[in-house]
Structure formats: C-alpha cells, structure tokens
Amino acid sequence: MKIETIKLWEDREDVELTTFLTMPDPFFPNQVKKPAVIVCPGGAYMVCPRHGNEGDPVAMAFSIDGYQSFVLEYSVAERAPEGKALFPAQIIDLGKAILTIREHAEEWCIDVDKISIIGFSAGAHLCGMYATTWNEPLLAGTFGVDSSVFKPLSAMLIYGLLDYEIQEKYRKANPHPMLPPTLNEPTFGCIDPDEEQLKKYSPINHVSKDTPPIFLAAAIDDGMVPAIHSIKMAEKLQNEGLPYEIHMFQYGDHGFSLGRNLIEPFRHEKAHACAQWLPLAKTFLMHQVSPETTEKEKSPFAMIEN
C-alpha cells in the first residue's frame, strides 16, 4: 500500500491529503481503474485528527474492499493561520483534494467519475455542504474550472451536523462542557451567528436536484449532535425525490466511528450494533459505483393494470 501525505497548498503546512493506495501489480499493468473515497474526520472545526478513529482506520477499512482511499486534514482553528479556518475554507480544501486526485488519476489508477466522500460529525457537515453546493459558484470561481469536475459520486454523512438552527437550539437548551458558546467561532467567526448565517451553512438548505446519493447514519442517544439532524435530512431528500439511505442505531452516542469501543477497540465483544453502518455503507457505495449490482424489488402493485 502506498501511504503518502501531500500538502494541498504551497503556502500552508496544515491542510494535507494522505493517500492509502493499492498500486497496480507490475505483472498486471492494465488494471481496471478504481473508485475512490475521501475521508473527513470530525473535531468541531477545532481539530482534525487524521490518526484518530475517524481518519486512517476508516480509509483503510475502505481500502480493504479495493477503494483508493484518502484522508483529508482540512482547515481547523488549532492549526490554520489566523482567519484561515473560517467556513467555507473547508469546502475549498475538499475541492482542492478532488482536483488533486483527478490530476493524479492515471498514476493512482482512479476512475475520476467515481470519487465519493465520507465525513464524521463536523467532517459530515463539511461533506454535506460540499455535496449540496458543489455546483454553486464558490468552487468554480475559486479554481477557474467547470463545476462538473467537483461533483462527488456520493456522500456518506455519519452523525453529521446538518442543520445549524437545530444545533443551536439544542446547544442552548443542553449545556455541556463539550458544547461551549465559543464552539461557533471557528466556523462563523462569532459566538452567536444570526439566522441568515445559520441557514447559509446548513446542508439541509442547499439540497437540490444536483445533490448526489446520500448515506446517513447516527445513534439516537447522541448527546452532542442529536439524531434529528439525520432524520430531517432524510425527510428533505425524500420530499425532493432524491436517492438516499438512513440507518438509525439505538446506541452509539457521538463519535462511534467504526463502532468499536474507544478504550479497547481490540475487544470484539465490545463492538456496538452501530458498527453495522460500515457494511451497509459499502453496499450502498457499491450500488453507486456499479449500478448493475442493484436489482429493484418487483412490486406486485406495479403490475396492476389501471
């Protein structure tokens, strides 16, 4: 496996893309090009721990199934130069990551039409915003290329913050040391963003016919980002007639990642039911990569003649 870290911006040390690539065997040089997955860890836009449970382990979990995988360390308050972590800097980081993958597609044996994104918590917010705004002027204007090159094949949003209005009401009603009033500063540049700002940076408000298929997963006992975010997002996608899957788990709280116990991940009996999101997501992703693998149920109701 080729593991390499690339700095995405010449004048920045903090925004990095790490590759987890299975390279072509020299005896079989004409391998079929592979789909790709970009992983965006969470961290409240304060940190982006690539080596934590939402970064490298997730990328490798997809690499096992033949995906060319990447982890994006996007702009966050702890590492970015002053003022450089304000949203939507992270959308531009993710756009740059996709352009970088496209530039190296031949070398890395990647099908550029099959690049998916997956995020956790704040990373899911980033992926949700990216999936719903890739066709808006920001990316095309920043990079001077047609917006079509930024479209992801699909997006997987795991316990994501998808509606800031919901989150602000929850945060104010449920004081928690990990949900301080200053939590909004890295994203908005202020403690109390107004309603217009909250709506602007909520993925649920940008859903359109151009939104790619979405996979949603969350735990109903989440004490940080309530599961209603994912439920409301699914409702929005349903009403818009867009493809999606949603999986809600009874237990898992926030940050369950691959579903293993954080303290003793090697203890198999401590795996949670929420760990099942991974095989479910892989099946969902396979259907996007290879639509011929999907066979719709033949409904008896569809056969009734009017």
Side-chain angles (χ1 to χ4, degrees), residues 134-149:
W134 63 268
N135 58 327
E136 294 181 6
L138 176 65
L139 291 172
T142 298
F143 294 103
V145 296
D146 190 85
S147 61
S148 61
V149 303

Side-chain angles (χ1 to χ4, degrees), residues 236-284:
K236 178 75 170 183
L237 295 165
Q238 177 73 29
N239 289 339
E240 295 294 328
L242 297 169
Y244 74 95
E245 279 189 23
I246 180 170
H247 299 278
M248 305 300 296
F249 300 96
Q250 187 174 3
Y251 303 112
D253 207 324
H254 195 74
F256 57 75
S257 186
L258 296 176
R260 296 291 181 184
N261 181 279
L262 294 181
I263 306 302
E264 298 177 290
F266 49 85
R267 295 281 295 277
H268 291 280
E269 79 278 13
K270 291 193 173 186
H272 302 294
C274 56
Q276 295 308 307
W277 77 263
L278 181 60
L280 290 167
K282 288 182 175 181
T283 300
F284 166 86

Side-chain angles (χ1 to χ4, degrees), residues 68-277:
Q68 302 290 53
S69 301
F70 303 84
V71 178
L72 173 64
E73 294 175 89
Y74 49 84
S75 299
V76 292
E78 187 180 78
R79 296 186 63 198
E82 187 174 354
K84 295 291 186 179
L86 294 178
F87 214 78
Q90 297 81 1
I91 293 179
I92 295 172
D93 293 338
L94 185 46
K96 178 66 170 177
I98 285 186
L99 287 180
T100 301
I101 292 171
R102 293 179 71 95
E103 289 168 7
H104 293 271
E106 194 67 31
E107 172 192 352
W108 292 343
C109 198
I110 290 173
D111 185 335
V112 296
D113 294 322
K114 296 177 179 178
I115 302 173
S116 295
I117 55 179
I118 179 170
F120 300 81
S121 193
H125 171 262
L126 167 56
C127 289
M129 282 297 297
Y130 187 95
T132 56
T133 64
W134 63 268
N135 58 327
E136 294 181 6
L138 176 65
L139 291 172
T142 298
F143 294 103
V145 296
D146 190 85
S147 61
S148 61
V149 303
F150 297 106
K151 184 177 183 179
L153 177 68
S154 63
M156 293 162 280
L157 315 179
I158 316 302
Y159 43 85
L161 194 165
L162 306 174
D163 187 329
Y164 262 111
E165 290 185 284
I166 289 175
Q167 188 64 17
E168 277 301 279
K169 290 177 183 177
Y170 178 81
R171 183 183 66 81
K172 291 176 180 178
N174 297 272
H176 190 288
M178 295 188 70
L179 294 173
T182 56
L183 196 64
N184 289 319
E185 284 192 287
T187 313
F188 296 101
C190 61
I191 292 176
D192 287 309
D194 59 31
E195 185 177 347
E196 182 179 351
Q197 286 178 295
L198 295 176
K199 289 181 176 179
K200 181 179 180 181
Y201 293 141
S202 295
I204 197 168
N205 294 326
H206 294 274
V207 171
S208 72
K209 62 179 178 60
D210 294 316
T211 299
I214 301 288
F215 180 94
L216 300 157
I220 64 174
D221 66 341
D222 193 323
M224 293 284 290
V225 179
I228 194 67
H229 282 267
S230 297
I231 294 170
K232 288 291 186 181
M233 187 64 163
E235 181 182 36
K236 178 75 170 183
L237 295 165
Q238 177 73 29
N239 289 339
E240 295 294 328
L242 297 169
Y244 74 95
E245 279 189 23
I246 180 170
H247 299 278
M248 305 300 296
F249 300 96
Q250 187 174 3
Y251 303 112
D253 207 324
H254 195 74
F256 57 75
S257 186
L258 296 176
R260 296 291 181 184
N261 181 279
L262 294 181
I263 306 302
E264 298 177 290
F266 49 85
R267 295 281 295 277
H268 291 280
E269 79 278 13
K270 291 193 173 186
H272 302 294
C274 56
Q276 295 308 307
W277 77 263

